[in-house]
Amino acid sequence: MNVVPGKNAVSTIPFDHAKVDRLMEEAGIDVLVATSKHNTQYLLGGYKFIFFAAMDAIGHSRYLPVVVYEKGGPDHAAYIGNRMEGAEHQNNPFWTPTVHAACWGTLDAANLAVEHLAKIGKGDARIGIEPAFLPSDAYTLIRKALPDAKLIDATDMLERMRAIKTDAELEKLRIASELITDSMLATIAWAREGTTKTEIIEQLRREETNRGAHFEYCLLTLGASHNRAGSPQAWKKGEVMSIDSGGNYHGYIGDLCRMGILGEPDAELEDLLAEVEAVQQAAFSKVRSGTLGGDMISHAEGVLKASKVAPYTDFFAHGMGLITHEAPFLMTNHPVTYEGTYAEKPLEKNMVLSVETTMLHPTRGFIKLEDTVAVTGSGYVMFGDRGRDWNPGGAS
């Protein structure tokens, strides 16, 4: 937390505002207008309005939270939200000196943002926006209302802002990973011969929800199939299960994959999972502060290339935090479409990575491990470090 001095200063700012000011200066931005739920949550110190946690649409429009933050001027910060958020502000006041809990859609939110920018003398400033998270009607309104302003894409700057996690963020990511891992292992043990994919996914949702996580998705395979969508397919004796789930704890993502088996794994299955594990361990061996991100990737890819399972196996690593793919961006268009801009940069302490090796075996099915690790000065810390071998189904 940061205490801001001055007669009209806010009490505390829940992020490193000196760092944000520096990033804004480097990006040529005078004032931020953040409109994504993840970046507004970060700038508000973890707050996200529960009413729109699952869906943004309401009436003819949608929810559009806005945080306005002036470089070097936290006293001029504002939060613009839905009318119902007045009650949230009464119970746990937002840190921003100005709060407008007044909106029901995109245009009223954009109008209030324009009014606030004019009030603080930034109507002709270099304004950082999030193009992918600013609806076209709101963008058009801002563009017309502030014709002398320069609108700058702040996406990269905001990603850099969130790349290094605080201790509090690391703890939320750890808890999210632990809850997801516990839920997946409990679901594997619960499932039996004849249990369908649809039933397994629903059971996982219950397991995660009952543990205090917010369920987001489950990608599931049974047997030789590589299809990870829900279906009436039933688990059969001797078949493998790949269970890959994402959920969050207070907005921070847990995203892991574990393997199940209905019966005992045979020698081939033991060997195949060991090949996957070897690639994972190769990646882990290069994770530490100061290592180039690309060096970690190339080392793991080299181990995979020498493996007998290389023709049908893929390695991937990406950043984790408030969203499932965020800085550091280590690989280009693999598979998510972004540039691997961090491949030539050193990993830094408190970055968080998802490391995953995926085998699409032609006869044994989908065999995968996905793990979450936090970078430390000397190596890494793994979150949810359990169940990384074959886990028996029907055990409970």
Side-chain angles (χ1 to χ4, degrees), residues 198-246:
T198 301
E199 291 168 338
I200 294 168
I201 292 169
E202 175 58 21
Q203 180 66 21
L204 180 64
R205 185 194 65 77
R206 292 194 191 101
E207 294 283 355
E208 292 184 10
T209 301
N210 290 343
R211 285 174 169 81
H214 178 80
F215 174 81
E216 295 195 359
Y217 64 84
C218 175
L219 303 174
L220 184 74
T221 69
L222 298 176
S225 174
H226 299 157
N227 186 313
R228 299 205 284 172
S231 76
Q233 180 188 355
W235 204 10
K236 298 177 182 178
K237 198 71 174 175
E239 287 187 337
V240 305
M241 173 198 295
S242 169
I243 186 166
D244 185 335
S245 181

Side-chain angles (χ1 to χ4, degrees), residues 58-136:
I58 187 165
H60 293 300
S61 190
R62 55 157 287 184
Y63 175 58
L64 186 67
V66 182
V67 172
V68 179
Y69 176 78
E70 179 186 343
K71 180 183 65 182
D75 288 351
H76 292 162
Y79 177 56
I80 298 164
N82 182 267
R83 289 187 187 180
M84 290 183 284
E85 290 179 85
E88 301 279 347
H89 185 50
Q90 289 176 1
N91 293 341
N92 296 289
F94 305 121
W95 74 266
T96 57
T98 299
V99 175
H100 294 291
C103 304
W104 283 111
T106 55
L107 295 180
D108 44 1
N111 262 317
L112 285 170
V114 166
E115 290 176 9
H116 187 75
L117 288 165
K119 181 180 178 181
I120 64 176
K122 295 298 176 181
D124 59 353
R126 298 171 299 177
I127 301 172
I129 63 170
E130 298 185 74
F133 297 93
L134 184 60
S136 61

Side-chain angles (χ1 to χ4, degrees), residues 254-278:
D255 180 16
L256 302 101
C257 184
R258 294 294 182 258
M259 296 301 302
I261 179 75
L262 196 55
E264 293 292 328
D266 57 35
E268 182 184 35
L269 287 177
E270 294 278 18
D271 183 56
L272 292 174
L273 189 57
E275 294 285 345
V276 169
E277 172 71 348

Side-chain angles (χ1 to χ4, degrees), residues 165 173 253-255 318-324 326 352-354 372:
K165 273 54 179 179
L173 284 161
I253 302 296
D255 180 16
H318 57 89
M320 291 283 294
L322 280 167
I323 61 176
T324 55
E326 63 177 44
V352 177
L353 310 176
S354 175
T372 299

Side-chain angles (χ1 to χ4, degrees), residues 332-378:
T332 297
N333 299 335
H334 188 100
V336 183
T337 52
Y338 51 71
E339 296 295 315
T341 51
Y342 280 72
E344 299 303 318
K345 298 178 182 180
L347 298 175
E348 297 183 57
K349 182 181 177 182
N350 288 12
M351 284 182 168
V352 177
L353 310 176
S354 175
V355 179
E356 48 188 299
T357 303
T358 304
M359 179 190 302
L360 276 63
H361 194 276
T363 60
R364 302 312 299 267
F366 198 102
I367 300 176
K368 175 179 179 178
L369 289 175
E370 181 175 7
D371 299 292
T372 299
V373 297
V375 180
T376 68
S378 59

